[in-house]
Amino acid sequence: MSSPMRSACAPSTCKPADRPLLPFVALAIGLAAIAHFLWEAMQLPLYTLWRTGTPREIAFALIHCTGGDILITTLTLAAAAALARIFCWRPFGWRIVFTAIALGAGYTIFSEWLNVQIRRSWSYSAAMPVVPFFGTGLTPLLQWLIVPGLALAIVGHRYRRARRLAR
């Protein structure tokens, strides 16, 4: 007869949150979606598509890449939230932010390498600064360091403020 599985968390750190998290998660993804769209639009001139593509191809790339960014944001935040649940991290704390950013940056390095070097799905213009060793464009990497970080910082601040006001 086995004993029931116990939580690895101390009871004081695993209490259900005072505030529902889903609206804050949705806000984080929404803010990141807007910022990803703007970032993608601003970095388009750093890709050869900007000069060689038709307006329709450019618009498709902008929508397609933003959609991918939203998916990656959602998945990396879900993975960070799953780890937070296992390790009892504070909602929207630095561990969740760091984990989501690290996962997004890691995926970006892999995806840029795969699509630029292997598949040749897109290419950088001469204006794109490239990170040595990785060969990844600097702006896509910065995007994954800045956009989720800002979105999660804003939402984390709002979450903590809402918890203080609810007390």
Side-chain angles (χ1 to χ4, degrees):
M1 189 177 209
S2 63
S3 63
M5 190 169 139
R6 294 182 185 235
S7 171
C9 305
S12 63
T13 60
C14 283
K15 287 188 271 185
D18 297 341
R19 308 280 307 158
L21 291 176
L22 193 54
F24 292 95
V25 171
L27 178 60
I29 293 169
L31 289 173
I34 293 165
H36 281 306
F37 177 82
L38 295 172
W39 193 289
E40 290 290 349
M42 289 187 305
Q43 76 177 355
L44 266 171
L46 300 175
Y47 290 87
T48 58
L49 178 69
W50 183 251
R51 281 188 296 235
T52 62
T54 65
R56 185 178 178 149
E57 290 170 329
I58 293 169
F60 176 80
L62 179 59
I63 293 166
H64 173 81
C65 292
T66 301
D69 294 335
I70 295 167
L71 180 62
I72 297 162
T73 298
T74 303
L75 293 174
T76 58
L77 186 53
L83 290 171
R85 181 119 173 117
I86 292 167
F87 296 112
C88 297
W89 296 341
R90 200 179 62 192
F92 302 105
W94 70 268
R95 290 178 179 113
I96 291 175
V97 173
F98 176 79
T99 302
I101 289 171
L103 290 171
Y107 179 79
T108 296
I109 291 167
F110 169 75
S111 177
E112 292 287 315
W113 166 79
L114 181 66
N115 287 292
V116 172
Q117 304 295 326
I118 304 302
R119 291 183 179 160
R120 301 192 187 282
S121 304
W122 62 74
S123 58
Y124 302 140
S125 74
M128 173 68 84
V130 176
V131 178
F133 181 71
F134 294 117
T136 301
L138 180 62
T139 62
L141 187 56
L142 286 175
Q143 177 179 358
W144 284 95
L145 299 176
I146 295 170
V147 169
L150 283 176
L152 290 170
I154 291 167
V155 171
H157 173 74
R158 290 182 63 133
Y159 176 79
R160 286 184 291 281
R161 188 170 148 237
R163 284 192 64 187
R164 278 194 306 273
L165 292 174
R167 289 182 187 172

